[in-house]
Amino acid sequence: MIPVQGVEGHRVAVLGLGRSGRATCSALRAGGAEVLAWDDSPETRAAAEAEGVPLHDLTRIDWSGVAMLVTSPGIPHLYPAPHPVIAAAYVAGVPVDNDIGLFFRSFSTATNMAFEAPPKVVAVTGSNGKSTTTALIHHILTEAGIAAQMAGNIGRGVLSLDPPGEGGVVVLELSSYQTDLARALTPDIAVFTNLSPDHLDRHGGPGGYFAAKRRLFAEGGPDRAIIGVDEPEGQYLGGQLAEAPEDMRVIRISSGRRLSGPGWNVFARKGYLAEYRRGKQVGSVDLRAMPGLPGAHNHQNACAAWAVARTLGLSPRLIADALASFRGLPHRSQLVAEVGGVRFINDSKATNVDAAARALQAFDRIRWIAGGLGKEGGIAGLAPHLGSVIKAYLIGHSARDFALQLGDTPHALCETMTAAVVQAARDAQPGEVVLLAPAAASFDQFPDFEKRGDAFVAAVEAWQAAFAEGQGA
């Protein structure tokens, strides 16, 4: 646990008692604060109370004497409207923060500064690829023998981490919900992967969404910024951060095009990653045969992880070996099984059109499972990426709406995950891929994308067992 600094003797309110909220309560109490905690869900409150979290109804408290409100990332604090408790804190003039802000203000203690090699923080944000990039960085560091921990929007709550020791590295995945509110954001290395429309209602539009991501780079100023420049926002951000074209504090990364110029660039083209500094190549690796990194989108993730590892002083050979041993994350281009020459790929995390497009571009001869709770615009934006789709198998609330947007692409209305997997598996021929890339939220049939991916895996495993018994024909 990382005790929160600067709260001793203060009353601190905590709203939201999920994983990060409960860790926040513990870290605040370890820092000497009196905690007033609440959650709108009776079940969550009961679970927190069972762990010893002190409950106080924040909708009825007197805000005088409360030093701060700490809120969980999923709770709206501005758009589309602030949660009533947060609105009350604003009116009372009480500062509002989240666990990410508390982490950064508490991380660099005098003890840490006494190390010969002080611990470092790497923070990763962007629309797509954050989780894979974060896990890939952590994997490379671990393979190199560096004591690394992973937290944030993946793995553990940040305040539940162990205080890092000499030369340790903390790798954080940070969503726009987390960066938007944190009052302190001071990573040593910050990564921006890419940007595509998402969470627009929460941020008041695309400008607010990008501004939330940009705060990671503008609030504290990392020592090194690694910026995906395949979209205008990344190009703008790189230009804002660099003092000159040759400024080595900014590393530009790309998947699909060669980067030039006198600075530090890492890019991947046709499956090959190359690193250039001051116009000269200093490292390269062939990504094509790496099973945990299929497709151009994962090659961008590899570029970001490569840049972080090189910033931390690791050699190209060591990084290449670690990339080759990475097996990917569940629900993100995850190879579940190969049955009768057909590969089954779980990309349940592809909850928006941009992520689904990246998945569709990563494979050939696709039996595509899509659908769920569709987002604004449906799948109209995927029209240019359907060339490899042999047939679509549609599930969930938006199945019929998606069917209307498929044009001439053959499709079947399957409704459920099990029905979609069975029909796609029966239709598939050797060499084809059954790909779950929903292009939609999961909340119509599943509580989250993980449970949706788990349902896909379970259906594939059932098919695999039936096939092995000679029933899959």
Side-chain angles (χ1 to χ4, degrees), residues 453-466:
D454 291 344
F456 175 79
V457 171
V460 171
E461 289 175 346
W463 172 261
Q464 188 175 27

Side-chain angles (χ1 to χ4, degrees), residues 369-444:
I369 299 176
L373 190 60
K375 298 185 177 181
E376 185 176 353
I379 56 170
L382 289 174
H385 308 292
L386 299 179
S388 295
V389 176
I390 300 168
K391 186 174 181 178
Y393 303 81
L394 304 176
I395 64 173
H397 178 271
S398 297
R400 286 167 174 77
D401 292 336
F402 281 16
L404 295 174
Q405 296 178 308
L406 282 173
D408 296 331
T409 302
H411 64 272
L413 295 174
C414 299
E415 302 297 342
T416 69
M417 182 67 73
T418 298
V421 169
V422 169
Q423 187 167 342
R426 285 175 175 164
D427 292 347
Q429 301 298 312
E432 296 179 355
V433 171
V434 175
L435 170 68
L436 170 64
S442 61
F443 307 125
D444 57 333

Side-chain angles (χ1 to χ4, degrees), residues 30-390:
E34 177 190 352
V35 173
L36 314 175
W38 190 250
D39 193 288
D40 291 338
S41 165
E43 294 81 6
T44 304
R45 289 199 303 269
E49 190 171 30
E51 295 182 10
V53 175
L55 298 180
H56 297 265
D57 188 346
L58 298 183
T59 65
R60 301 180 179 182
I61 67 166
D62 178 1
W63 286 97
S64 61
V66 175
M68 176 180 18
L69 170 65
V70 183
T71 180
S72 292
I75 301 173
H77 62 271
L78 186 56
Y79 301 115
H83 185 282
V85 169
I86 297 176
Y90 289 157
V91 171
V94 173
V96 180
D97 206 345
N98 62 18
D99 63 329
I100 303 300
L102 298 183
F103 168 83
F104 278 111
R105 88 182 214 179
S106 305
F107 181 79
S108 296
T109 64
T111 301
N112 281 349
M113 293 303 98
F115 289 129
E116 183 176 337
K120 294 184 180 295
V121 178
V122 178
V124 180
T125 195
S127 295
N128 299 299
K130 296 187 300 296
S131 296
T132 297
T133 300
T134 301
L136 187 53
I137 294 167
H138 180 264
H139 174 75
I140 293 170
L141 297 178
T142 301
E143 291 292 294
I146 295 172
Q149 299 180 78
M150 182 171 62
N153 204 44
I154 185 174
R156 305 160 63 181
V158 292
L159 294 172
S160 69
L161 291 171
D162 300 323
E166 181 85 27
V169 179
V170 173
V171 190
L172 303 179
E173 178 193 343
L174 299 182
S175 71
S176 59
Y177 291 5
Q178 293 169 310
T179 58
D180 195 22
L181 186 61
R183 294 169 63 89
L185 287 167
T186 54
D188 298 280
I189 303 169
V191 178
F192 176 85
T193 58
N194 50 61
L195 196 82
S196 61
D198 209 358
H199 310 305
L200 300 188
D201 59 335
R202 175 67 183 266
H203 296 291
Y209 178 53
F210 176 55
K213 302 288 189 184
R214 183 179 179 274
R215 290 190 77 245
L216 182 62
F217 304 85
E219 291 300 305
D223 295 334
R224 179 150 288 137
I226 296 163
I227 309 295
V229 294
D230 289 333
E231 293 86 29
E233 292 85 356
Q235 297 162 14
Y236 164 83
L237 183 57
Q240 286 277 299
L241 295 172
E243 293 292 334
E246 63 272 14
D247 190 343
M248 303 291 275
R249 295 173 304 167
V250 177
I251 305 177
R252 292 171 172 83
I253 63 171
S254 174
S255 177
R257 65 188 182 97
R258 179 188 177 91
L259 299 179
S260 59
W264 192 344
N265 300 310
V266 181
F267 58 88
R269 293 181 67 220
K270 299 181 179 179
Y272 288 91
L273 180 152
E275 177 189 2
Y276 279 74
R277 300 190 198 184
R278 306 193 198 289
K280 295 182 179 180
Q281 184 170 335
V282 295
S284 65
V285 65
D286 184 352
L287 300 172
R288 293 174 300 171
M290 296 186 179
L293 297 168
H297 61 302
N298 275 310
H299 295 172
Q300 183 189 56
N301 301 334
C303 288
W306 179 284
V308 170
R310 293 289 278 151
T311 293
L312 293 173
L314 302 186
S315 71
R317 178 61 180 273
L318 190 155
I319 301 169
D321 289 345
L323 291 176
S325 65
F326 182 67
R327 288 296 174 261
L329 289 177
H331 317 300
R332 298 161 178 88
S333 296
Q334 174 195 11
L335 175 61
V336 175
E338 183 168 336
V339 183
V342 177
R343 287 181 293 162
F344 292 80
I345 305 294
N346 170 19
D347 204 347
S348 182
K349 185 63 168 63
T351 59
N352 58 45
V353 163
D354 188 69
R358 291 167 181 256
L360 290 172
Q361 293 171 63
F363 304 99
D364 297 318
R365 301 173 62 192
I366 298 169
R367 303 277 175 178
W368 178 34
I369 299 176
L373 190 60
K375 298 185 177 181
E376 185 176 353
I379 56 170
L382 289 174
H385 308 292
L386 299 179
S388 295
V389 176
I390 300 168

